[in-house]
Amino acid sequence: MKLGSVVFAGLILAVGLVYEIMALNMPRGRLSYPGPGLFPMIIGLFLIATALGCLLQEILPRKKTGEGPSASPLPSQDSAAPEGRNVIKTFQLMALMIGYTLVLKTLGFLISICAFLVVAIRIFGYRRWVPALAMAAVIAGISYVSFVLWLKVPLPLGIFEEILG
Amino acid sequence: MLRRTGYAVVVFLVVAFATNVFAQGTSAKVDYPKKPINTLIGFAPGGGSDVMISMVRPHLEKALKTTFVPVYKPGSGSDIALMELSTSKPDGYTVVISCTPQVPINAYVREAGYKISDFAFVANVVTDPGIFVVRAESPYKTIADVIKAAKEKPGTLSVGVSSAPGDDWFAMHMFEGAAQIKLNIVPFSGDGPSWQAALAGHVDATSNNLSIVYAQLRAGKLRALAIMTDQRSPIIPDVPTFKEMGYNFASGSSRGFSMPKNTPKAIIDIFAGAVKQVMNTEEFKAIALKTAFPSDYQGPEEYTAYIKKLDTIYRPLWDKYGKSPDAAAK
Amino acid sequence: MDLFSGLIHGFSVALTPMNLLFGFLGAVIGTIIGILPGLGPLGTMALLLSLTYGFDPTAGMILFAGIYFGAMYGGSTTSILLNIPGEAASVVTCIEGYQMARRGRAGAALAVAAIGSFVAGTISLIGLSFLAPTLANAALKFGPPEYLAVALVGLMIMSRLTGGNLLKSLMMIALGLALGTVGMETVAGYMRYTFKQPLLAQGIDFLPVAMGLFGISEVLVTAEEPAGNMQLQKVRFRELWPTLVEWKRSFWPIIRGSFIGFFVGLVPGPSPVIATMVSYSVENKLDKSGEFGKGAIEGVAGPEAANNAAVGGAYVPLMALGIPFTPAMAVVMAVLLIHGITPGPLLMSENPDLFWGVIASMYIGNFMLLVFNLPLVGVFASIIRAPLYLLMPIVLLLCLVGVYSVNNSILDIWLMTGFGLLGYLLRRLRYDLAPLVLALILGPMMERSFREAMMISRGDLSVFVSRPISGTILLVGAIVLVAPLLIAWIKPLISRKA
């Protein structure tokens, strides 16, 4: 993961630089009347400094410091053997969420979430279509009644809008 | 098992649909309204818009025989809610709480994503007058004291306002012009933080709205020096107006209902009529007086003209003070 | 009316069957919406506001108090079980709570959270009943310079919160602060980093970020694990309750958390968040078990107590002065307004029935919540026994609906999805997620108070140290930050001599 860390810190450094340039183009005002650009300018410098620090930390050969395994916030996940990971599923799930968001407004909540659930259930390892469809429909129906009818979350109803009003 | 689940789904969905169909069936025979009205609110719950809609909602729901569903789209000085309204269907089932001076001035000062001509102004409900307030322990007893202090040390007397550009912010610039003084105008992130800072003595005074500081005035924690109306307010008749002291400006924040342009006139009239009828009941008037809710009903034509007039008042003020933050500081 | 007769009178108001019913209803509704991520007490109360017009104002206040406290109880459930913080105050609970759940101690974490919340709620109510007028005036002394001092100390605490790599934590803080500047700035309405997207003008809300970074990335990580490991640790029913050792370990953190929460809660703004952070770092410093980061029960007990106590603290300025420091409190205030009562300094003397009735009902509501929540611990803890192919899609559904419900905005779903991916990457690269989210919450408040303080003092930077309260806060913060370094530096010197 070392290469990943270097790339990521470099990426944040680039974000920091762009952020700072944009901040410098905002009116900074004076200390007695700070403008919109003053605070972002400070944050931008902070971001650049820390990202640079992280980058150097990754590149430079380091002596053993405090970052033992116990210092990691989520030790259990990282210690899992990487070769067993199924990275494809992350892409599948991301694509699924993007798809849902894209069709939500046009197809409406009920259809979108139902389709979403069917695919999600399959991604998580359940392979039979008909029960998956049934489960998805039940969950979608329950969530429609509880969120839209009871809790009045104004979810887009799409083509159902005319019928359900 | 599977089949049973299937049946359950069908039954469930049928019930879900049916409850909706019946819910619609019970509405009145008139064309409008026959379903719930979505009410866009451009500020977080608890602000002035929220108080306004809470005050009229129970009564309006009874009069129109429908329900109002509050839809909060907070942020950007209500621009997000206004933008949403501008793209909504003009069928009377989406209304927005339109607040001045954000409507009309936001569309002038920045790229707001909508035009004022995108809206049909239906009815104004409340006009909350501006009021100049200091804390009880403050050495300033009258507006004359304030002006004297501001003239001795220009730019040091700090006055909290809700935001820039907001009604309080404009009002203080108008005051500066009328009294030939220089204040230190401090924009806070809302009228609440502004009066609280004045109460605690972090700023010398606050330019605020009557209904918001009324509880503190009544308890004697804050003191009102002058009100920004044409005539004295019946709610606090002892407080003089700026106009009667020779400073010729008035200010306040109005809140009302607006719909998308091209909404049929019949719908607008039904809605405005209901608002008018509700605000004329004795029950509503009594509560309004007790909570210092400064009712100000204006029908569609009057309200539209009022917004137009405000636009011509505020534009030059923004040009003068608001073009850059630095200009505002001088 | 003095305090005791006031309270006794209050109980006589609150104990009528009608008011008891409203208290119970509020507790149930509050718990449910607290559990559902995204839906908060704010939206629910705004929805029910018009309904309360039909009741007596005391009943309305009791209902809302139940909802508000109930939401705090329920908020920790998803944090512990699914690593999804439903509200800002539960972010810290995720850190240890979710690790406990992974080790099969979900039941213990939930039970300790419930009991900690009850104890803290009671302690803060006692504070509210006896000290409200005094404390409310003290809270007013906090002006913009003090807020900035509090936020700065909060950042210092955050950088060492989970004890990971300091530079990485600092970078996460910087990133969070930068995200907080997106949108229309509040003073002059200037658009920053919106790239001409009007929807970005409202800024980046913390919920899509938190739900993406914690919740969605958790689902992604779980999905990737090889099928055999995919099942979360199962809980056996007799292991549901905390062991005696766990109770003992939780006792002092709960007490400390209660006091921290109550006093920090008096400060306006995101005070429950800061209270949980302070409590967490105190427990982390005092910890001897070495379990922090791997599911230490102290790290659940303390912060959970602190966030509930902060709710009691938040009621102080509202009840004593009529100041709603949070939007939720403003909605509570609106219950009174629609009945023609203006909450303010005169509330206690003009409406003693209401004032004392509400306070008494909070004691009762708090007790009801405990009774209502403890049996639920078993139910919730067994939810994670559901097959993953059912649990994970439902979690995603709750996130997708919950995040939309906050601002009713599809943009927030996009943000959540994006931050889900970012969170996934950050985990793989061993970055702490909590500092980013917490900095995003504190950032806007920091900027606002900095600019207000500068405008009030006309550009004099010395206000931050010359004002007694902010000076003291900064000094304490500096000591807390520097002391461990000093000790680490001095210790070897001494031991070498010895």
Side-chain angles (χ1 to χ4, degrees):
Chain A
M1 269 297 147
K2 184 154 186 225
L3 181 67
S5 296
V6 173
V7 171
F8 184 74
L11 196 70
I12 299 294
L13 182 64
V15 170
L17 286 170
V18 173
Y19 181 91
E20 183 67 13
I21 291 167
M22 289 176 77
L24 290 175
N25 282 322
M26 295 173 191
R28 273 189 299 283
R30 300 184 299 273
L31 211 45
S32 60
Y33 198 100
L38 185 66
F39 200 70
M41 186 188 76
I42 301 170
I43 294 175
L45 290 176
F46 183 36
L47 185 58
I48 291 171
T50 51
L52 203 60
C54 282
L55 191 63
L56 291 176
Q57 181 177 261
E58 297 295 338
I59 294 172
L60 296 178
R62 64 186 140 157
K63 49 185 193 225
K64 281 263 176 256
T65 47
E67 204 199 7
S70 68
S72 164
L74 294 155
S76 47
Q77 276 135 27
D78 287 313
S79 55
E83 54 271 22
R85 279 182 200 150
N86 201 346
V87 184
I88 287 287
K89 286 195 175 170
T90 293
F91 291 107
Q92 287 174 338
L93 281 171
M94 288 312 290
L96 180 60
M97 288 180 64
I98 291 169
Y100 166 82
T101 320
L102 283 175
V103 298
L104 177 61
K105 196 135 200 176
T106 37
L107 287 188
F109 172 68
L110 257 177
I111 297 177
S112 326
I113 201 71
C114 209
F116 176 90
L117 287 169
V118 174
V119 182
I121 287 170
R122 279 186 68 85
I123 292 178
F124 276 96
Y126 189 84
R127 290 285 168 215
R128 286 162 59 197
W129 275 110
V130 180
L133 200 64
M135 284 188 285
V138 172
I139 300 169
I142 292 173
S143 60
Y144 173 78
V145 170
S146 44
F147 288 108
V148 179
L149 296 187
W150 292 347
L151 291 163
K152 303 258 185 263
V153 177
L155 284 155
L157 296 178
I159 51 177
F160 274 89
E161 185 146 31
E162 294 310 317
I163 317 166
L164 295 173
Chain B
M1 172 61 206
L2 217 170
R3 187 173 293 173
R4 231 181 287 160
T5 325
Y7 283 136
V9 173
V10 172
V11 170
F12 183 85
L13 289 179
V14 167
V15 171
F17 279 78
T19 44
N20 262 282
V21 173
F22 287 127
Q24 281 180 35
T26 54
S27 67
K29 283 197 184 84
V30 277
D31 274 325
Y32 176 83
K34 45 181 187 180
K35 58 179 187 179
I37 298 173
N38 285 326
T39 316
L40 296 167
I41 300 171
F43 297 89
S49 304
D50 214 28
V51 171
M52 184 279 244
I53 185 72
S54 334
M55 292 284 283
V56 295
R57 200 171 113 197
H59 310 279
L60 213 50
E61 286 181 345
K62 224 187 290 171
L64 285 171
K65 296 194 183 63
T66 182
T67 52
F68 283 79
V69 181
V71 179
Y72 293 91
K73 297 267 180 181
S76 210
S78 79
D79 277 357
I80 294 170
L82 292 170
M83 212 169 65
E84 173 98 9
L85 185 81
S86 70
T87 57
S88 296
K89 251 191 260 169
D91 55 5
Y93 293 105
T94 312
V95 300
V96 75
I97 312 286
S98 40
C99 301
T100 67
Q102 283 80 12
V103 177
I105 199 66
N106 278 2
Y108 179 64
V109 306
R110 56 174 175 250
E111 285 175 44
Y114 61 83
K115 296 185 295 293
I116 289 303
S117 57
D118 289 339
F119 307 125
F121 298 97
V122 177
N124 189 50
V125 174
V126 54
T127 297
D128 205 351
I131 191 165
F132 192 91
V133 172
V134 295
R135 68 203 290 239
E137 299 85 9
S138 167
Y140 310 119
K141 308 278 184 212
T142 62
I143 283 294
D145 293 343
V146 173
I147 291 170
K148 194 168 151 245
K151 285 206 163 138
E152 273 164 17
K153 280 187 178 171
T156 55
L157 193 124
S158 53
V159 184
V161 296
S162 60
S163 62
D167 57 314
D168 314 320
W169 184 86
F170 281 116
M172 281 304 99
H173 282 299
M174 290 192 271
F175 179 40
E176 283 187 333
Q180 300 290 305
I181 51 169
K182 183 73 212 112
L183 302 165
N184 179 19
I185 300 170
V186 181
F188 282 84
S189 56
D191 28 31
S194 166
W195 71 254
Q196 287 146 25
L199 179 65
H202 303 305
V203 288
D204 295 311
T206 173
S207 171
N208 221 299
N209 291 105
L210 172 59
S211 73
I212 290 158
V213 293
Y214 180 65
Q216 307 295 326
L217 292 177
R218 218 163 53 93
K221 296 254 175 186
L222 289 176
R223 179 167 63 234
L225 301 188
I227 191 164
M228 304 166 199
T229 45
D230 295 333
Q231 275 103 40
R232 291 192 178 197
S233 161
I235 297 167
I236 41 167
D238 300 339
V239 177
T241 66
F242 274 100
K243 281 200 172 164
E244 69 183 65
M245 289 185 283
Y247 307 108
N248 193 21
F249 72 95
S251 171
S253 176
S254 300
R255 293 178 272 273
F257 293 102
S258 300
M259 291 180 186
K261 69 173 174 200
N262 300 331
T263 305
K265 188 164 183 316
I267 287 179
I268 291 179
D269 287 342
I270 291 173
F271 195 97
V275 174
K276 185 177 184 181
Q277 175 207 331
V278 158
M279 292 179 64
N280 273 329
T281 57
E282 290 309 313
E283 185 192 6
F284 185 83
K285 281 184 182 164
I287 290 176
L289 192 67
K290 267 202 269 177
T291 51
F293 183 81
S295 301
D296 176 27
Y297 173 79
Q298 297 176 20
E301 291 80 24
E302 212 185 333
Y303 189 28
T304 310
Y306 176 65
I307 297 281
K308 282 222 176 83
K309 193 184 115 198
L310 288 182
D311 209 12
T312 58
I313 293 177
Y314 284 125
R315 281 184 183 209
L317 282 172
W318 176 262
D319 291 342
K320 197 167 166 195
Y321 302 111
K323 274 287 163 69
S324 84
D326 247 348
K330 276 184 203 117
Chain C
M1 202 178 291
D2 71 61
L3 289 165
F4 281 103
S5 58
L7 259 185
I8 290 164
H9 178 69
F11 276 104
S12 71
V13 174
L15 283 172
T16 57
M18 205 53 194
N19 286 343
L20 275 177
L21 179 71
F22 278 111
F24 180 73
L25 266 180
V28 174
I29 297 173
T31 307
I32 294 171
I33 54 139
I35 292 165
L36 296 173
L39 295 161
L42 180 60
T44 311
M45 293 195 297
L47 201 67
L48 292 174
L49 187 58
S50 167
L51 199 70
T52 64
Y53 183 73
F55 320 145
D56 156 65
T58 312
M61 286 288 280
I62 288 173
L63 178 75
F64 277 23
I67 292 178
Y68 200 43
F69 273 92
M72 287 288 157
Y73 267 80
S76 53
T77 311
T78 46
S79 305
I80 292 171
L81 293 179
L82 306 168
N83 205 18
I84 301 171
E87 32 156 10
S90 323
V91 172
V92 170
T93 308
C94 285
I95 305 173
E96 299 302 323
Y98 184 65
Q99 290 307 319
M100 282 186 74
R102 285 185 69 93
R103 283 184 13 213
R105 301 304 296 153
L110 288 170
V112 159
I115 296 199
S117 297
F118 170 72
V119 173
T122 308
I123 290 178
S124 80
L125 279 172
I126 294 171
L128 173 62
S129 346
F130 289 92
L131 302 169
T134 331
L135 285 176
N137 285 318
L140 267 184
K141 294 275 180 287
F142 275 74
E146 283 75 23
Y147 299 162
L148 184 77
V150 169
L152 270 178
V153 172
L155 285 188
M156 292 179 202
I157 293 172
M158 227 185 307
S159 63
R160 307 301 300 139
L161 195 62
T162 42
N165 182 297
L166 179 62
L167 264 175
K168 283 183 165 181
S169 290
L170 286 175
M171 188 171 104
M172 288 296 104
I173 291 176
L175 209 54
L177 291 174
L179 285 171
T181 58
V182 173
M184 190 185 82
E185 56 92 33
T186 49
V187 176
Y190 192 90
M191 295 294 175
R192 299 190 297 201
Y193 306 105
T194 53
F195 304 98
K196 306 250 175 212
Q197 293 294 311
L199 279 174
L200 271 176
Q202 59 183 314
I204 295 180
D205 196 44
F206 112 90
L207 258 169
V209 176
M211 287 168 75
L213 284 182
F214 286 88
I216 301 295
S217 77
E218 185 62 43
V219 174
L220 295 178
V221 167
T222 312
E224 280 194 354
E225 277 174 29
N229 302 354
M230 246 168 89
Q231 197 63 39
L232 294 170
Q233 190 127 15
K234 287 204 171 157
V235 196
R236 253 176 274 153
F237 270 105
R238 62 188 147 84
E239 286 171 8
L240 217 60
W241 292 95
T243 60
L244 196 64
V245 178
E246 283 172 325
W247 281 127
K248 274 191 189 150
R249 285 173 56 186
S250 311
F251 179 77
W252 284 110
I254 288 176
I255 303 294
R256 282 191 290 264
S258 304
F259 282 92
I260 292 170
F262 181 71
F263 286 103
V264 177
L266 296 170
V267 181
S271 52
V273 185
I274 297 179
T276 55
M277 280 160 50
V278 172
S279 166
Y280 183 88
S281 69
V282 166
E283 299 312 328
N284 195 354
K285 288 264 157 22
L286 294 174
D287 174 60
K288 291 186 191 73
S289 69
E291 275 186 18
F292 264 77
K294 286 175 270 174
I297 198 159
E298 294 91 342
V300 176
E304 271 306 304
N307 86 37
N308 263 60
V311 177
Y315 261 91
V316 168
L318 180 78
M319 298 297 276
L321 293 177
I323 300 180
F325 276 150
T326 63
M329 282 292 111
V331 179
V332 173
M333 204 169 127
V335 176
L336 299 178
L337 275 176
I338 62 175
H339 282 96
I341 299 165
T342 42
L346 297 179
L347 185 67
M348 205 197 308
S349 51
E350 285 183 351
N351 301 77
D353 268 20
L354 186 126
F355 184 88
W356 292 109
V358 170
I359 290 195
S361 76
M362 288 183 189
Y363 283 96
I364 299 168
N366 208 22
F367 182 71
M368 276 182 190
L369 275 167
L370 182 72
V371 174
F372 179 64
N373 269 272
L374 278 183
L376 284 181
V377 165
V379 179
F380 288 131
S382 58
I383 281 179
I384 49 177
R385 293 147 62 99
L388 270 189
Y389 63 78
L390 210 55
L391 183 64
M392 288 296 142
I394 292 177
V395 168
L396 286 174
L397 174 140
L398 288 179
C399 287
L400 287 170
V401 177
V403 80
Y404 179 83
S405 73
V406 184
N407 289 322
N408 308 314
S409 139
I410 289 185
L411 176 76
D412 283 348
I413 309 183
W414 287 120
L415 282 174
M416 182 181 73
T417 311
F419 278 96
L421 191 63
L422 180 70
Y424 168 82
L425 288 175
L426 289 174
R427 277 165 181 236
R428 288 277 178 253
L429 301 172
R430 292 171 178 243
Y431 280 89
D432 278 2
L433 303 173
L436 197 166
V437 178
L438 296 170
L440 173 65
I441 299 167
L442 290 188
M445 167 199 170
M446 269 181 85
E447 174 176 20
R448 205 164 56 227
S449 18
F450 173 69
R451 293 174 74 177
E452 284 167 8
M454 283 297 96
M455 284 188 277
I456 293 170
S457 71
R458 300 165 51 76
D460 181 5
L461 280 169
S462 70
V463 278
F464 299 112
V465 283
S466 64
R467 287 172 56 121
I469 302 179
S470 75
T472 314
I473 296 171
L474 286 176
L475 187 70
V476 171
I479 291 173
V480 170
L481 192 71
V482 175
L485 297 175
L486 269 183
I487 292 169
W489 183 61
I490 292 172
K491 241 186 193 164
L493 290 182
I494 298 171
S495 56
R496 207 179 302 156
K497 272 178 198 157

